[in-house]
Amino acid sequence: MFGGSFRVARIFGIDIEIHPSWLLILAFVSYSLSEGVFPDQYEGWSTTEYWVVGITAAVLLFVTVLIHELAHALVAKRRGLEVPRITLFIFGGVSHLARQPASAGEEFQIAAAGPATSLVIAVISGGLALLFQEVDDRGEAIFMYLSLVNLALAIFNILPGFPLDGGRVLRSIAWKKTGSFRRATRVAAGVGEVFGYVLIAGGFFLLLGGGLLNGLWFMFIGWFLLGAARNETANLQLEGVLKRLTARDVMQTDFPTITPGMPIQDVVEEHMVGQGERAVMVALGGAVSGILTVTDVRRVPKDEWRNTPAQRVMTPRADIVTVQPTTPAVEVLLLLGERKLNQVPVLEEGRMVGLVTRREILERLQLAETLGENQGAADEPAAAPTSP
Ligand SMILES: [Zn+2]
């Protein structure tokens, strides 16, 4: 979903990324503040002043959204949960957590840190706005805006539906009560779906009432929330399906075997092109000596295939990553991803009993009809900062 994001900074060891859609919302907020909100509220500034103040307020808004995300991330890191990156995008920010929270207490603290921080920013900005009131109405304008939007952010994010922070708080409470992470997720995601529909319906009525931009914006946010809530439920099903499977369930037992001296030209013709295999085992008299993969073959120029025996380019036994029949399929999938492998042999008491291919696992996933990013993420739609 966040393809095309580019890194702009690194704070506390966390990559700060910007998705191209963020530039759109930055431009839109700057425009609506400079041409609508501030001219309506403050008179007598020059056009340049309206724009300088508008752009400054818009940039500071996103700085405060980033601080909100950093609050989540720092609490997570303090609890030993890595946060590789934060992405700013059209609806606000997302902290990408390396895994799901390990306990209800952990989830509660990480989730609550965001809205609490927005609330503190709202109070501080409100105080600064008061200070500027008598001194400079441009400063007052910026801080009053930041105060109101951060208050709106805190309130919106505490709505108890997934993927909002309030949904996570709800999940942590339900998790604590029921002792089941899955059941708690289903509850929070269900409420999140309801909020998604409410926002879409509300946006539709705004649209009918003539509020074109706000109507579309609400529908857009609702649609996003709905998708994220459904995705969470889908991930849960996916994890459930995969969790019950082990390497033995997803391995193929009729893996092809060749002798070490076989020219790779023959291997390509008979097995790779012929049977569509991406890897063959190299064995002599039952003893596995290595594995020959498409990647190994590609390293050899085509005109040498006929004179190159498999054992010369294969990955030798000692270097092969293997798994046990009892290894959970989830771990096998992670291993394939981490090592950038397409297959991994399954060994039982030193004997090869099967081969798990990435393709086979992915087909299982499609069988479950659930595809999605398998990672925790805290999403924050940035309320409706653009209402002129
Ligand atoms: Zn948040």
Side-chain angles (χ1 to χ4, degrees), residues 59-292:
V59 169
L60 285 177
L61 161 66
F62 289 104
V63 170
T64 62
V65 169
L66 181 59
I67 295 173
H68 171 117
E69 289 305 324
L70 282 170
H72 288 304
L74 290 182
V75 172
K77 277 177 84 100
R78 209 183 55 202
R79 305 214 40 148
L81 206 167
E82 272 310 302
V83 184
R85 63 190 200 280
I86 289 173
T87 310
L88 291 177
F89 70 121
I90 190 162
F91 295 127
V94 182
S95 299
H96 302 271
L97 309 182
R99 60 166 168 81
Q100 296 279 15
S103 70
E106 187 171 294
E107 166 130 76
F108 182 89
Q109 288 192 10
I110 295 170
T117 303
S118 293
L119 205 58
V120 170
I121 295 173
V123 170
I124 294 174
S125 303
L128 287 171
L130 284 180
L131 282 181
F132 271 104
Q133 207 167 31
E134 302 300 320
V135 189
D136 188 334
D137 58 357
R138 290 162 301 190
E140 184 201 356
I142 291 172
F143 286 111
M144 190 51 88
Y145 171 73
L146 286 180
S147 179
L148 290 175
V149 176
N150 274 282
L151 183 65
L153 267 177
I155 293 173
F156 184 69
N157 270 299
I158 208 69
L159 291 177
F162 209 86
L164 298 169
D165 294 332
R168 288 168 198 281
V169 169
L170 173 68
R171 175 164 75 179
S172 71
I173 294 169
W175 186 0
K176 183 113 190 162
K177 281 246 154 71
T178 64
S180 162
F181 176 76
R182 299 171 59 79
R183 216 182 304 164
T185 299
R186 221 165 264 136
V187 170
V191 179
E193 280 194 36
V194 172
F195 279 124
Y197 282 121
V198 168
L199 276 172
I200 291 172
F204 184 67
F205 284 114
L206 270 176
L207 204 78
L208 291 183
L212 180 70
L213 278 180
N214 282 339
L216 282 176
W217 183 243
F218 273 80
M219 289 175 80
F220 207 27
I221 291 184
W223 165 79
F224 167 75
L225 285 186
L226 192 60
R230 284 188 173 159
N231 199 32
E232 192 66 15
T233 315
N235 276 345
L236 200 66
Q237 283 163 355
L238 178 78
E239 275 177 35
V241 169
L242 270 181
K243 219 166 244 169
R244 286 192 291 274
L245 296 174
T246 62
R248 191 191 299 283
D249 298 320
V250 292
M251 71 187 187
Q252 57 190 78
T253 49
D254 56 340
F255 48 88
T257 307
I258 58 161
T259 54
M262 190 170 185
I264 57 177
Q265 175 77 37
D266 295 350
V267 181
V268 169
E269 281 170 13
E270 282 174 33
H271 297 284
M272 291 173 175
V273 177
Q275 301 287 324
E277 306 290 352
R278 294 191 63 88
V280 294
M281 296 309 300
V282 185
L284 197 61
V288 174
S289 53
I291 186 169
L292 183 73

Side-chain angles (χ1 to χ4, degrees), residues 249-373:
D249 298 320
V250 292
M251 71 187 187
Q252 57 190 78
T253 49
D254 56 340
F255 48 88
T257 307
I258 58 161
T259 54
M262 190 170 185
I264 57 177
Q265 175 77 37
D266 295 350
V267 181
V268 169
E269 281 170 13
E270 282 174 33
H271 297 284
M272 291 173 175
V273 177
Q275 301 287 324
E277 306 290 352
R278 294 191 63 88
V280 294
M281 296 309 300
V282 185
L284 197 61
V288 174
S289 53
I291 186 169
L292 183 73
T293 68
V294 171
T295 317
D296 295 328
V297 171
R298 276 213 197 103
R299 279 198 288 265
V300 181
K302 246 185 193 131
D303 54 353
E304 292 173 25
W305 284 4
R306 188 148 298 287
N307 300 318
T308 308
Q311 64 183 353
R312 199 185 296 161
V313 289
M314 70 183 185
T315 308
R317 166 84 184 263
D319 298 344
I320 304 176
V321 181
T322 60
V323 295
Q324 305 270 319
T326 50
T327 307
V330 184
E331 277 177 37
V332 179
L333 188 62
L334 287 176
L335 183 75
L336 290 173
E338 269 169 28
R339 304 290 191 93
K340 295 191 167 52
L341 296 169
N342 284 309
Q343 64 282 311
V344 52
V346 185
L347 291 193
E348 190 170 36
E349 287 159 6
R351 212 167 39 85
M352 176 155 165
V353 292
L355 188 72
V356 178
T357 63
R358 178 192 290 270
R359 196 169 46 188
E360 182 69 24
I361 292 199
L362 289 179
E363 271 167 20
R364 289 299 181 111
L365 300 194
Q366 275 163 350
L367 268 182
E369 289 184 328
T370 46
L371 282 173
E373 246 184 302

